[in-house]
Amino acid sequence: MSSASAASAEEPAGVAEVARLLAQAQRVVVLTGAGISAESGIATFRDARVGYWSQFDPEVLASPQGFARDPGLVWRWYMERYRGLLNSVPNRGHQALAALQGALPQLTLATQNVDDLHERAGSRDVLHLHGSLTAFRCQRCKRPHHLSSDDPLAVTPPTCTTCGGLVRPAVVWFGELLPDAVMQAVWQATQSCDLFLVVGTSGVVMPAAALPALARSAGATVVEVNLTPSEVTGDAHHFLQGKAGDVLPALLAHMQT
Ligand code: OAD
């Protein structure tokens, strides 16, 4: 297949050039946001119509204070998302990133997403900056909790079998610290990569939003894939406008030509 035949109607300008840079890169970091999972039917946060934060208050549903005030409300919201995740499958964007990891000498994949669609697509060692919606722990003693078959439909959170505390999803809530080891690994990889690819994030939540600029200041080429310009577009050398599920497979196709 030639470069020209790999191009398609959905392909934005610059794909062939970025594919060339990717093929030459020794160390790549990919940072994903909710946009990569949108084509799997998972809602993003800031879409004006269907984004979670245009319908719900993050202080109520995604903070320790909100959980303390109304644990049942928070549990039901996360369980609705959890059940939705069980019915979702990885899309072409997730699959392309997994294939890219297999094709490159070193690719570190960091995500702000709490879903497990990267793993289910075959990506390895995914760094979850904001925790995971498929893991649960006691709010009080922090011991892991394994969901029973009844838990996803319960109206209140289960209690810890060890200390009786309330069980919560192992996600990072507003006001909480990001997991230290994950953050350090992402920071280190970002400072030493030669290409940083940011996909499907509005780039408004710190510290993840600072990573593209950090990579650029350390000398990396920064590439963004997004439907629309974001808060980190100014940090990018290349902006590939389009759906992750179209642009990422197109990048891969060009690399294979
Ligand atoms: P946002 O909802 O803020 O942004 C989603 C981004 O994805 C937007 O820039 C969209 O233009 C883009 N997008 C949507 N569909 C796309 C597609 N098919 N292909 C490519 N891009 C697409 O989500 P995040 O930036 O991930 O944190 O939000 C960051 C954090 O804010 C989340 O992790 C969450 C939230 O509060 C916590 O819960 C701690």
Side-chain angles (χ1 to χ4, degrees):
M1 199 176 1
S2 72
S3 285
S5 65
S8 73
E10 298 87 22
E11 191 176 295
V15 166
E17 167 66 2
V18 171
R20 192 183 60 74
L21 294 170
L22 266 175
Q24 289 169 355
Q26 291 302 306
R27 288 178 302 277
V28 172
V29 174
V30 181
L31 170 68
T32 63
I36 185 102
S37 296
E39 291 161 71
S40 294
I42 297 188
T44 61
F45 292 93
R46 293 176 182 82
D47 181 279
R49 290 169 304 113
V50 293
Y52 284 127
W53 299 156
S54 61
Q55 304 172 68
F56 305 109
D57 181 351
E59 279 297 316
V60 172
L61 294 173
S63 76
Q65 298 78 1
F67 188 61
R69 250 190 323 263
D70 193 342
L73 179 73
V74 174
W75 182 254
R76 290 191 296 278
W77 186 64
Y78 276 98
M79 285 303 99
E80 195 181 319
R81 289 176 61 193
Y82 175 77
R83 294 193 307 268
L85 178 57
L86 293 185
N87 290 322
S88 303
V89 291
N91 63 55
R92 285 171 12 107
H94 297 108
Q95 285 157 1
L97 289 179
L100 203 58
Q101 192 175 42
L104 294 176
Q106 188 185 316
L107 184 147
T108 302
L109 177 54
T111 187
Q112 298 168 86
N113 300 343
V114 296
D115 65 53
D116 61 350
L117 296 179
H118 282 307
E119 285 89 344
R120 282 199 257 152
S123 287
R124 287 170 282 104
D125 304 323
V126 183
L127 296 165
H128 281 271
L129 290 165
H130 294 166
S132 169
L133 180 53
T134 58
F136 299 86
R137 64 173 167 81
C138 173
Q139 163 83 347
R140 191 190 298 157
C141 74
K142 302 189 173 23
R143 282 199 177 78
H145 173 88
H146 299 288
L147 281 197
S148 76
S149 53
D150 294 336
D151 288 343
L153 287 168
V155 292
T156 53
T159 49
C160 173
T161 49
T162 306
C163 79
L166 293 179
V167 168
R168 57 166 281 180
V171 299
V172 176
W173 280 333
F174 287 98
E176 294 183 326
L177 294 176
L178 273 60
D180 200 35
V182 170
M183 212 43 229
Q184 274 189 27
V186 175
W187 220 257
Q188 258 174 23
T190 299
Q191 282 178 310
S192 61
C193 70
D194 35 31
L195 194 146
F196 188 96
L197 176 62
V198 52
V199 183
T201 178
S202 54
V204 296
V205 174
M206 289 292 179
L211 293 170
L214 179 68
R216 186 173 178 139
S217 66
T221 300
V222 178
V223 178
E224 180 180 24
V225 176
N226 202 312
L227 281 180
T228 56
S230 73
E231 291 298 310
V232 294
T233 304
D235 302 321
H237 297 91
H238 300 271
F239 178 64
L240 303 179
Q241 187 157 15
K243 289 184 176 179
D246 293 330
V247 177
L248 296 173
L251 279 173
L252 203 62
H254 273 284
M255 288 172 67
Q256 288 161 351
T257 58

